[in-house]
Amino acid sequence: MTDPARRAVAFSEPGSPASSFQHMRVSTQPVEEVVTRLKEKIVAADLWVLHEINPQMLLHRDGYDIGAARQILFFHPRLMWRLLAADSAALLEAPLKFAAIGFPEERTELRWLDPRQAFARYGSPALATLGEELAGICEGIVTGLGL
């Protein structure tokens, strides 16, 4: 039986502005399967999986119930070196992150921010180049998933 003190939160559909700075692919696989394959593809792209955040578990600890959701943080020291050499203010842009969000109708959304836009806003040609490279890497990872 569900604890009446618990607060259930359903995932909302993304607002229209999100499409201007996020990318999304949809899968019929469960979140855990998408995350397992995603981590394999990140490693295969010669990047490091730095951390996995489980928002479902974290919110549950404080009385909120949500569907399956995971955030995968990834990057690599060679990329951080390039980022810092170009503009140390851009440190906030790393690591990159994928979010896998499970919806009740057996749909998993995989979302990520566009590194091209994030890095271009610094006005540094070196960061713009890095953003282009990272955007291609993210696309390659997702394409490798077959979503």
Side-chain angles (χ1 to χ4, degrees), residues 103-127:
F103 285 83
E105 59 275 5
E106 298 181 24
R107 177 181 101 221
T108 297
E109 288 184 1
L110 182 63
R111 296 186 157 274
W112 68 100
L113 295 173
D114 185 351
R116 184 178 293 110
Q117 288 184 10
F119 285 84
R121 65 186 174 193
Y122 289 87
S124 161
L127 283 178

Side-chain angles (χ1 to χ4, degrees), residues 7 13 16 20 23-24 26 30 34 48 55 61 66 77-78 110-111 120 124 139 147:
R7 297 160 280 186
E13 294 298 324
S16 58
S20 70
H23 296 286
M24 179 192 66
V26 177
V34 170
W48 295 2
R61 286 177 26 192
I66 64 170
R78 73 177 176 278
L110 182 63
R111 296 186 157 274
S124 161
E139 285 292 332
L147 304 182

